[in-house]
Amino acid sequence: MQSYYQMTALEKWTEDLYQRIGVRQPSQISIDYIAERLNIWVHYLDVRSKSIEASAGMYSMFIDNRLPPELQRLEFLHELCHLLRHAGNHTLMPEHFTQAQEDESERFILYAAMPYSMIAAGTLPELREDAVNEIARTFRVPSELALQRIDQIQRRIFQGQLMAVMERNEDRNIIHRHIR
């Protein structure tokens, strides 16, 4: 089944980032671990979470200290995407462009909080509810987020299977045309 799964460009970029900085197991997907490896100064304040690049390669992040730790980590991942992938002054950008960046940061949370390589390395329970609970527990994410990731993975596997069937049918059609 795993051979049918196709990563998106953002997902592949996230997996490559984790390989470069040595994130190889769920316990390493933490604010402290990632921030240390990427030289990000993290400050916990009574403000909405945001990130800034002070100068080339000098990053700071402000995490809302009013949030529970598991949501702080998700906010960190969201802001991490902005820091590493989105340049420029967001107040001067067109709304549809900033919305596209927000959408990408939300998708990044799924990939960064629950990397496919780590999910695929384990064995998930057969029952969907049990699989969701296992991912939520292992990756310390809300069940709703784990469900969203499971659904996404299942859609991609199904899409890969469908593409494989279509390719086989196309190959058969080519062979039949040459035989006639």
Side-chain angles (χ1 to χ4, degrees), residues 29-169:
I29 305 171
S30 72
I31 295 173
D32 291 341
Y33 193 89
I34 294 170
E36 179 183 322
R37 275 149 187 78
L38 293 173
N39 197 26
I40 299 170
W41 293 32
V42 179
H43 310 276
Y44 297 89
L45 301 170
D46 192 0
V47 297
R48 269 186 60 209
S49 299
K50 62 184 164 217
S51 56
I52 58 170
E53 181 176 4
S55 62
M58 187 95 156
Y59 303 122
S60 285
M61 198 177 293
F62 303 96
I63 302 294
D64 189 338
N65 65 9
R66 299 166 293 188
L67 296 173
E70 46 293 342
L71 292 183
Q72 288 178 352
R73 189 170 65 100
L74 297 178
E75 291 275 309
F76 170 81
L77 294 173
H78 178 97
E79 294 302 325
L80 181 63
C81 184
H82 285 309
L83 271 181
L84 300 180
R85 292 185 57 90
H86 306 148
N89 185 340
H90 300 277
T91 58
L92 302 176
M93 293 179 186
E95 184 180 338
H96 67 277
F97 192 75
T98 55
Q99 187 57 52
Q101 289 183 341
E102 286 301 315
D103 293 345
E104 182 179 70
S105 293
E106 288 302 309
R107 285 191 313 276
F108 178 81
I109 289 172
L110 291 177
Y111 304 142
M114 299 164 280
Y116 180 74
S117 61
M118 292 183 198
I119 293 171
T123 305
L124 288 177
E126 289 291 320
L127 290 176
R128 178 183 174 85
E129 185 178 331
D130 293 343
V132 167
N133 290 334
E134 177 70 16
I135 286 180
R137 184 190 59 72
T138 301
F139 293 95
R140 301 177 331 273
V141 297
S143 294
E144 306 81 47
L145 206 61
L147 175 62
Q148 194 177 346
R149 186 66 168 129
I150 291 254
D151 286 346
Q152 184 185 64
I153 289 170
Q154 287 178 327
R155 279 191 310 273
R156 296 242 181 87
I157 290 171
F158 179 71
Q159 182 181 11
Q161 290 170 326
L162 189 58
M163 294 301 290
V165 167
M166 290 171 61
E167 287 172 9
R168 281 195 300 271
N169 286 342

